[in-house]
Amino acid sequence: MAFRRLFLALTGVAVATGAPGFPVPEAFAQSRASAHSGAVVSRIIVEGAERIEPETVRTYMTLREGEPYSASLADASLKALFDTGLFADVTIRLEGSSLVVKVIENPIINQVVFEGNKRVPTTALEGEIQLRPRVVFTEWRAQEDVQRILDLYRRSGRFAVSVEPKLIKLDQNRVDVVFEINEGPSTTVKGISFVGNSRFKAGELREVIMTSEETWYKFLSSTDTYDPDRVNYDRELLRRFYLKRGYADFEVRSAIAELSPDRQSFFITFTLHEGERYRFGTIEVESNLENLDPAVLYKMIEVKNGDWYDAKKVEDISESISEEVANLGYAFVDVRPRVTRDAENRVISIVFEVNEGPRVFVDRIDIQGNVRTHDEVIRREFLIAEGDAFNSSKIRRSRQNVQDLGFFETVDVSNQPSPAAADRTTVVVDVKERSTGEVSFGIGWSSSVGALVEVGVRERNFLGRGQDLRASVSWAQRRSQLDLGFTEPYFLDRKLAAGVDAYAVERDLQDESSYDYRSIGGGVRFGWNYNSAWSHSVRYNVEKMKIEHVAWDASRFIRDQKRNTTTSLVGHVLTYDRRDSRLNPTEGYFVSLSNDVAGLGGTEAFLRSDIKAAYYLPVGEILDWNPAWNFNLQGQAGYIFGLGEDVAINQRYFLGGTNLRGFESAGAGTRDPQTEDALGGNWIVTGTAELGIPLGLPEDIGITGRLFTDVGLSGKPDKYDAKLMDWDASPRVSVGFGLTWVSPVGPIAVDFGFPIMKKDYDETETLRLSFGSRF
């Protein structure tokens, strides 16, 4: 209303009360009451039209020349003229037999200007509003644009923003539209709490969702600003998290955001209903397709009776069955899991029904909402292409693939009938992009390298092509490192990840082995997935290494090392991963095997093999205890031998520190007894058994405990001399306990290790502290 008064004041029109939404001049309001109904309109006179032809005005009216005048037709004409959006004001009066229509045209916009916007660029605001230069100005469009600007700011976490539109009148009925913006402070998320969660801690659930609480070190991140769309997606992330872990009755009953009195922060509360945890019951396959024996499809079922229910595995099995049936020659297939829930026994039985799907083809895949990301980045994640048979299971999986890219806050996929033919459908993909750039900053201290500072930048959707570009640099008392990397996830338009890496490292090993070393290297790598569990990667790496600052009293076995080496190697890693999470696993296992061969050029020639494995068991959930009880076993074995020459010291295995707590870095294993320098060995075996335990502290403190046992043993180096070296193949064992605190500046881990099997020449340490991991 204020905006309307401002405009009409500029144009000199007095406003009286009229029909809702339409200004009615006083003169018209008075004259209309005295109009003579029934008089024939001999002519229609248009006054005030400048850009618009009088005949154009007449065509919009319901009253016509030669027709009887009536108040209802005059009102209809008045409304029709206002509805065109071309006029700021219209009056109609009858003078004798002439109908006089006086109009005040809406002005033409000369330019649209934004003032006061610092956090949101002008280009983003221009893309959001409807008003444009050389377009007719209307008040309702201006008010809609004000709301659009407010919504844009609120999506970026600024709810205290205010927008004041102003008009500047120019000659020739033109105006400048100025949006004066007071952005106000960013509206952050001060706290996130959960109600109804008993199986998982609040801290664990905060790791699941995208929204995060405000902390000082997230000044370069936007996840701690309030965004209602992000909160809605958080509801979906929580649902997936629980359904994957067997809580089939789970639901987010509400997600309430309360604005603080100062309007600068939100407090978000998720109210959850976890329900009971279910196991799989009987799992069967039924086929309604002619000549298809369901027995051939049972091999696609990777779960068995008694396993914990996992909604994602059900979806994966549906997809696998659909693909297998398609491979058998059935193009139109619809696989639907029929679920039978036994709430009393907490069992879910499933029958996978294989039916003939509708004979519908995909006519077109339309993608919208992606301003920055290229269409091809989204299209290549789809399991169907234009012209393929429509398959709802593949559509669901494709949507999940796009969502898993991490480039979009929301992904909606729908299908609409195609106008081309009745048996065609158009798949519409509507995405909402999110920020994919990251800046990390870390400070801290660790037992291995001392005080450290680390800075890194990363863009996971470089130039909108889905490429991953990263760079990081760290400085520490005993190590400095520079890392650069680039990954193309679809090399040569195939699902083949290709990347290049470069690095430079300086390391102080005076305490362990009386020397320093520098290395600079780089390489290329390729990786691919065989399925959801099996993955494989190959690499080529070249590295130049220099040993320097060798202490005058260092072991002669170190002084005899080559000071400059070049390593050229080819390697691969084969991994089988069945963990529930790769970042914070609580259930499942993984095994990986890697082999490296050096000698294709360079000065070093060796063969190295490593195998790693881990097993995670959610003890608390199995025994219906506190979920903080969890158990894991981890192990590693490695062996390296030279191909015609000795293995250099920088390629050997060292035992102690991170792989054997209770012992210093390189504190166990082969050693020169005269200088106490660690010499390393050509093989190593380590293992860890760890039990996570609840401490009874409030969840918000973020402190967890653990008990552990580490075991390790290592081999001897080349040219081992029992008279000049201390080495024993017997295992070293330690026990201990530790604490982890998720502090405002990153995780702080403290471990107390106590060797119970060691040798006299081993070097031990009781306390090991790591502080300020990357954040």
Side-chain angles (χ1 to χ4, degrees), residues 20 38 64 77 105 115 117 198 228-229 265 308 411 438 558 573 588 659 723:
R64 297 287 187 267
S77 298
E105 295 177 351
E115 295 181 355
N117 58 306
S198 60
D229 291 334
S265 59
W308 288 115
V411 178
E438 300 173 4
I558 293 176
V573 180
N659 59 11
K723 297 179 181 179

Side-chain angles (χ1 to χ4, degrees), residues 46 123 156 246 412 444 458 476 568 657 729:
V46 178
T123 53
S156 64
D412 294 319
R458 184 181 183 188
S568 173

Side-chain angles (χ1 to χ4, degrees), residues 249 276-279 340-349:
D249 296 330
E276 299 295 339
R277 195 180 190 196
Y278 287 78
R279 294 183 182 272
T340 303
R341 185 176 308 182
D342 183 350
E344 182 178 352
N345 296 313
R346 302 178 190 175
V347 169
I348 292 179
S349 298

Side-chain angles (χ1 to χ4, degrees), residues 385-566:
E386 292 168 345
D388 288 353
F390 180 82
N391 186 299
S392 58
S393 178
K394 289 185 177 182
I395 289 291
R396 290 193 300 270
R397 186 63 178 269
S398 299
R399 177 196 173 279
Q400 188 61 52
N401 289 346
V402 176
Q403 187 75 71
D404 289 344
L405 289 173
F407 304 160
F408 310 104
E409 290 192 6
T410 58
V411 178
D412 294 319
V413 179
S414 59
N415 57 290
Q416 303 171 354
S418 173
D423 63 346
R424 300 275 177 172
T425 187
T426 298
V427 176
V428 180
V429 185
D430 191 2
V431 299
K432 179 182 178 183
E433 293 181 315
R434 56 176 291 199
S435 174
T436 55
E438 300 173 4
V439 178
S440 62
F441 173 72
I443 58 174
W445 184 90
S446 76
S447 301
S448 300
V449 299
L452 63 90
V453 176
E454 181 175 288
V455 178
V457 294
R458 184 181 183 188
E459 173 54 63
R460 294 180 293 106
N461 188 16
F462 184 61
L463 299 179
R465 299 181 180 274
Q467 300 161 336
D468 192 341
L469 179 66
R470 58 179 174 79
S472 66
V473 59
S474 63
W475 300 270
Q477 289 177 294
R478 301 178 58 196
R479 185 197 69 197
S480 296
Q481 185 166 338
L482 170 67
D483 285 293
L484 303 171
F486 175 79
T487 302
E488 167 55 65
Y490 274 78
F491 186 62
L492 299 178
D493 291 329
R494 299 177 180 272
K495 199 167 180 58
L496 174 68
V500 294
D501 301 286
Y503 59 89
V505 181
E506 291 186 7
R507 187 73 189 272
D508 177 356
L509 296 174
Q510 294 292 337
D511 289 348
E512 296 94 333
S513 302
S514 300
Y515 72 92
D516 300 336
Y517 82 82
R518 292 184 181 182
S519 67
I520 183 170
V524 296
R525 50 187 160 77
F526 299 91
W528 61 94
N529 295 324
Y530 296 111
N531 52 41
S532 60
W534 285 101
S535 62
H536 203 174
S537 65
V538 297
R539 66 185 178 114
Y540 170 76
N541 195 76
V542 60
E543 178 184 83
K544 294 182 69 68
M545 195 275 293
K546 180 179 181 181
I547 292 179
E548 58 185 10
H549 303 146
V550 178
W552 67 270
D553 58 348
S555 168
R556 71 178 181 87
F557 299 104
I558 293 176
R559 295 199 304 270
D560 291 344
Q561 291 289 311
K562 291 182 287 188
R563 299 302 177 91
N564 295 281
T565 62
T566 301

